[in-house]
Amino acid sequence: KTKPQLVCRCYAGLDQYYIHYNGGSWRSNDLENQKKFIEQHRDLWYTPEPVYVESKDVAICAIVRCENKYLREWIDHHFRMGVKKFFIYDNGYGNEEKPEKVLYHDIEVGIVEVIDYRNQGGTFNVQDKAYNDCYAKHGHEYGWIGFLDIDELIQIKGNIKLPTLLSKFKADAVALSWQMMTDSGHLRYQAGKVLYRFHEPVEGHRYPGGEEFVKCFVRGGIDGIKFESQPHMPVQPHLKVMNVKGEIVKQYPTMQPIYTGAWVNHYHTKSAEEFVEKVKRGFPNGDRYTDDYRRKAIDYFFAINTRTPEKEIILNEGLGLEK
């Protein structure tokens, strides 16, 4: 009853605990010295409310690897939704295709910034590292920063822009549900927008309990934002996360999906031919994969799409595997 009520910062570490315990006044219950010690070491005890960035501008961060044929649609789609800036982390190999080849105009006018992330993030968790780097450098510049892949297109019902949608939420982060999309019967790549070529979602749910993964937008100005071991949601303790209904989300990175208001169409496989290209180049979070991984990738393809002999031939021959 006599001691000040303190809010201890999570994960303070043992060193900070020792500073606290050995402050000298605690055992003697000297209240005045306790208060003095607290003031001198306030950074150990007090975590202020986030000072959000007042700007309503929205940015998106993405990491890419040889995905030029899809970049133009992805940028245009989200630019029309009101996104002001795109931070593209290029995680390609050597001298293989670079995003600048198709985004040179957007770079010139300042809509897109390409960050050379080739051989800079290590082999694993590169996506998390890119996201953390982007927020650390630009989280103070924008009202919201979204974290997406190039095979993800946000969908919003009604004539509403992203800045308007996000401004309604009194939250640190907003979770948008994945809607997994099938190959819609396409075997090979065709010119045309991904949005129109692949229009059939996966029926039912792929995870126990009917849950699905999310992707997120994080408010600007929050200290300590960090992605770790997964690219779906930061792991900062006590982050106030809401779904698109404005409900508090306690558990993530998966949740009961919501396909009203706004969500994310996830075109993870596209056609069989395009999936072969994706597996060959390796995903942004890892290196080129072994034959064993490629076999598992084929199983994954058919967990989403209807199995046919034609698709099996394209996948096995394209990846150099026996049927």
Side-chain angles (χ1 to χ4, degrees), residues 200-306:
E200 297 177 6
V202 172
E203 294 184 4
H205 305 292
R206 298 178 302 125
Y207 298 102
E211 295 184 343
E212 186 54 91
F213 278 103
V214 302
K215 279 301 183 74
C216 70
F217 279 81
V218 180
R219 271 191 184 273
I222 303 176
D223 292 333
I225 288 297
K226 185 178 181 181
F227 290 84
E228 190 173 275
S229 301
Q230 49 83 17
H232 303 276
M233 185 69 68
V235 295
Q236 183 184 6
H238 311 307
L239 200 67
K240 185 179 180 182
V241 180
M242 285 185 174
N243 60 28
V244 293
K245 292 182 177 180
E247 301 166 337
I248 298 295
V249 178
K250 295 292 187 182
Q251 294 182 333
Y252 45 80
T254 63
M255 69 177 189
Q256 292 295 319
I258 301 172
Y259 302 130
T260 59
W263 65 94
V264 177
N265 277 1
H266 189 197
Y267 304 89
H268 191 53
T269 67
K270 303 184 180 73
S271 67
E273 181 181 61
E274 290 165 278
F275 189 67
V276 167
E277 294 177 358
K278 184 171 190 172
V279 175
K280 279 185 174 181
R281 69 176 178 255
F283 301 148
N285 245 14
D287 211 331
R288 298 184 191 270
Y289 294 110
T290 63
D291 285 353
D292 181 61
Y293 181 88
R294 297 181 183 202
R295 291 188 179 93
K296 291 179 180 178
I298 293 177
D299 292 338
Y300 178 83
F301 180 90
F302 288 123
I304 294 175
N305 302 295
T306 302

Side-chain angles (χ1 to χ4, degrees), residues 57-235:
D57 291 340
V58 175
I60 289 181
C61 175
I63 184 168
V64 304
R65 176 174 287 169
C66 302
E67 299 175 83
N68 281 7
K69 66 174 65 174
Y70 308 110
L71 269 174
R72 177 78 276 139
E73 177 187 356
W74 187 85
I75 294 287
D76 291 346
H77 177 85
H78 294 106
F79 181 75
R80 288 193 297 269
M81 288 185 170
V83 176
K84 186 174 184 178
K85 185 80 172 188
F86 299 88
F87 297 101
I88 305 298
Y89 282 70
D90 178 15
N91 188 230
Y93 294 107
N95 293 319
E96 293 180 0
E97 69 175 46
K98 296 184 177 182
E100 292 89 337
K101 184 176 181 179
V102 295
L103 299 179
Y104 58 90
H105 174 71
D106 306 84
I107 295 170
E108 288 179 357
V109 299
I111 297 172
V112 172
E113 179 180 334
V114 176
I115 298 91
D116 184 359
Y117 219 59
R118 300 184 178 212
N119 303 315
Q120 292 191 36
T123 302
F124 299 103
N125 295 328
V126 181
Q127 194 169 18
D128 299 340
K129 294 173 184 177
Y131 286 0
N132 292 336
D133 182 76
C134 184
Y135 194 90
K137 291 178 178 177
H138 304 289
H140 64 286
E141 299 172 354
Y142 296 91
W144 296 87
I145 298 184
F147 299 90
L148 299 175
D149 295 332
I150 305 304
D151 61 1
E152 297 170 343
L153 296 174
I154 295 173
Q155 306 298 301
I156 301 178
K157 283 197 172 182
N159 188 25
I160 302 175
K161 300 293 186 181
L162 260 172
T164 302
L165 175 74
L166 293 170
S167 67
K168 298 178 180 179
F169 295 98
K170 305 297 183 183
D172 302 326
V174 176
L176 302 180
S177 298
W178 259 358
Q179 172 66 78
M180 297 295 292
M181 305 301 289
T182 70
D183 60 14
S184 295
H186 295 291
L187 299 177
R188 301 188 180 276
Y189 172 78
Q190 296 175 336
K193 293 185 176 181
V194 168
L195 184 66
Y196 300 133
R197 288 197 292 136
F198 307 105
H199 49 80
E200 297 177 6
V202 172
E203 294 184 4
H205 305 292
R206 298 178 302 125
Y207 298 102
E211 295 184 343
E212 186 54 91
F213 278 103
V214 302
K215 279 301 183 74
C216 70
F217 279 81
V218 180
R219 271 191 184 273
I222 303 176
D223 292 333
I225 288 297
K226 185 178 181 181
F227 290 84
E228 190 173 275
S229 301
Q230 49 83 17
H232 303 276
M233 185 69 68
V235 295

